[in-house]
Amino acid sequence: MAEIAIEYAAGSRLRSEAETARRLIDSYLGDRSDVDRVTLAPSSESVFCVSVEGDRIWCTDPREWIDAVEAVTAVRRRLSELS
């Protein structure tokens, strides 16, 4: 089963953005049997990234608006490649 991780640069706004991304990913992918869990982790790097099975598949500039739907799309694409 795939593990999805969201990494975000430490900061109050980015924690909220990461939680939103996690909720969207859970909502869109939570019923899939190939998804184990979605985790959040603060990073010392200035990043906002989503990883599947330890591979960063989607990153964006954390200073810009973060589109969580793009993260969901990237996760879906990666999971289809793994199937």
Side-chain angles (χ1 to χ4, degrees), residues 9-67:
S12 60
R13 181 187 76 82
L14 292 179
R15 170 76 183 191
S16 174
E17 295 290 339
E19 288 173 353
T20 298
R22 182 182 66 193
R23 280 193 305 273
L24 277 175
I25 290 170
D26 279 340
S27 174
Y28 283 102
L29 303 173
D31 59 346
R32 291 180 60 137
S33 62
D34 59 342
V35 175
D36 186 26
R37 63 185 173 154
V38 181
T39 62
L40 298 178
S43 175
S44 60
E45 296 177 62
S46 181
V47 298
F48 192 96
C49 295
V50 176
S51 301
V52 174
E53 292 299 303
D55 294 325
R56 283 184 177 167
I57 60 159
W58 182 82
C59 292
T60 190
D61 186 336
R63 296 170 294 187
E64 301 294 324
W65 180 70
I66 296 167
D67 186 351

